[in-house]
Amino acid sequence: MTVLTRTPAPVDPGLLSRALEVAGRLANDAAEVIVATAGRAPGSEAKADPFDWVTDTDRTLERHTRRVLAAEFPGIPVVGEEYGADATAAGSPFRWIVDPVDGTANYVAGFPWCAYSLGLVDGDGPVVGVVADPSRAQMYAAARGRGVRANGVPVRAATGTTAVGALVCAESPSPGFVERAAAHHTGVRVLGSTALAITQVALGRAVGAVIDSYHEWDVAGALCLALEAGAVVVDRAGRPDPMPTGGVLVAVPAVVEQVYSWWAA
């Protein structure tokens, strides 16, 4: 499989800087709330799926995010998990995408693996991405052409040439994928946050992430991190796509073909 990537259009540097600053401020606000309430989440209730939780924290953080973004970027619509898409989102050149608590079931249980995710996207994919990992007091931020920083320190994806002996993160993986990875001595980790799963590739901790089912708010912020860290993003057919639907593989360039073969088999 030959993976060719296109060069996304440049974005006004002033917009990038302002978007990074505001997104970082919102992520810090969210992290404080999540840390203070994890494991004792008020207003917790299941959606149609008994394992798909929503809490007062989800709603409060998304409302706060929307208020700030509307004031700071009045011409850019917002898409969010809890309150849907603004009316102009479909035809807008830019849109913000927010998941106030990614990994809500973990948050409700007090399991320390959930995140706040916010991304700015355009027609070429992610422009700015911020993911807060409150349990580890970590803030990950990226902007198109500016790389990735973890608490202000630059990071890159791993440089390994094989998935053997490495980790791949996944959400809702098929048993066959897990078996094929294990046969090649690769560990698969399923921990319940799509944003953090993809982020581990950007941080160099995992060589790949396979996500079979998701919404755009689950992945928008983290995909910006992965792309800026040097990872490859492909859809279920193996085609490069900065924000695929229906399945996504994020991987270190040298192992994308290897991991894709397990996923596609």
Side-chain angles (χ1 to χ4, degrees), residues 29-52:
D29 292 344
E32 291 180 1
V33 173
I34 291 170
V35 167
T37 56
R40 47 189 181 277
S44 303
E45 59 180 302
K47 299 180 184 178
D49 178 349
F51 197 65
D52 187 8

Side-chain angles (χ1 to χ4, degrees), residues 27-192:
N28 272 312
D29 292 344
E32 291 180 1
V33 173
I34 291 170
V35 167
T37 56
R40 47 189 181 277
S44 303
E45 59 180 302
K47 299 180 184 178
D49 178 349
F51 197 65
D52 187 8
W53 290 90
V54 63
T55 70
D56 286 349
T57 300
D58 294 90
R59 301 184 187 99
T60 298
L61 290 179
E62 185 168 325
R63 287 196 299 267
H64 174 63
T65 297
R66 287 174 176 273
R67 282 194 298 268
V68 171
L69 294 178
E72 297 280 355
F73 305 93
I76 301 180
V78 180
V79 179
E81 179 176 14
E82 307 308 333
Y83 296 103
D86 290 346
T88 59
S92 177
F94 292 96
R95 68 187 189 279
W96 286 102
I97 304 177
V98 59
D99 190 343
V101 184
D102 181 66
T104 308
N106 288 346
Y107 165 73
V108 170
F111 184 79
W113 192 259
C114 63
Y116 171 87
S117 174
L118 179 61
L120 177 66
V121 304
D122 66 5
D124 287 328
V127 173
V128 166
V130 174
V131 174
D133 182 352
S135 301
R136 274 153 286 280
Q138 291 288 312
M139 184 75 62
Y140 312 117
R144 185 177 293 171
R146 296 191 181 184
V148 187
R149 292 179 180 269
N151 282 7
V153 178
V155 295
R156 292 285 296 175
T159 57
T161 58
T162 178
V164 174
L167 294 178
V168 171
C169 293
E171 294 299 325
S172 304
S174 69
F177 174 80
V178 176
E179 291 171 3
R180 286 186 285 275
H184 288 80
H185 308 286
T186 298
V188 177
R189 298 293 180 264
V190 183
L191 294 173

